[in-house]
Amino acid sequence: QDIRGTRQMAEHNDFGQWGERVAADFLEQKGYGIMRRNWRFGHRDIDIIAVDRDTLVIAEVKTRAGNTLTEPETAVDSRKMRSLAMAANAFVKKHGIDAPIRFDIIAVTGASGGEYSINHIEDAFTPLPY
């Protein structure tokens, strides 16, 4: 059972990484500059940090295999928003960035190696102060 659980976790991580690659490629095709992927600040992480013209974009990627009961973009709850805000604040301070910040959600639904769809929600949320 432990081995199966580990394999399932590895497959889940691979699937998530595939979704993040698809999302990063999508943003690049839209003219965004990708600064970082999977940036970590302690136990917090940002999937994609990009630049859209003069705006720093913090993108949370949600990947799902198919039509589940919940849409991928609804998986970003207030706790995740707060975590993203804290990590973004750390990134901005560390790199001395003085630019507007936007929080996007990119929902990738489909299959690795198969058909998929992307729903890019720009300015998806404004995190509350923490």
Side-chain angles (χ1 to χ4, degrees):
Q1 183 172 357
D2 289 341
I3 293 172
R4 187 179 69 212
T6 301
R7 185 174 64 239
Q8 287 173 338
M9 181 60 87
E11 288 170 3
H12 173 77
N13 290 342
D14 290 346
F15 187 63
Q17 290 172 359
W18 167 79
E20 289 175 15
R21 278 194 309 273
V22 166
D25 290 347
F26 172 80
L27 290 177
E28 284 182 324
Q29 289 171 7
K30 288 180 72 172
Y32 289 50
I34 305 298
M35 293 181 70
R36 298 276 195 292
R37 285 185 45 203
N38 294 309
W39 189 80
R40 294 202 166 281
F41 174 66
H43 64 277
R44 295 174 172 85
D45 72 311
I46 300 173
D47 294 334
I48 299 173
I49 301 172
V51 177
D52 178 21
R53 294 180 298 272
D54 65 342
T55 301
L56 184 70
V57 177
I58 306 299
E60 175 69 9
V61 179
K62 293 297 179 188
T63 309
R64 297 287 187 272
N67 292 333
T68 58
L69 293 177
T70 61
E71 293 298 317
E73 54 271 22
T74 62
V76 181
D77 59 12
S78 60
R79 175 194 265 174
K80 183 62 180 179
M81 289 178 196
R82 182 173 180 261
S83 179
L84 285 167
M86 293 173 81
N89 185 53
F91 183 84
V92 165
K93 284 183 177 178
K94 180 177 181 175
H95 297 283
I97 295 171
D98 182 21
I101 300 175
R102 189 178 81 214
F103 291 85
D104 291 5
I105 298 173
I106 303 173
V108 179
T109 304
S112 176
E115 291 186 20
Y116 60 87
S117 65
I118 297 174
N119 182 15
H120 180 197
I121 305 166
E122 293 184 18
D123 206 12
F125 62 90
T126 302
L128 297 172
Y130 48 90

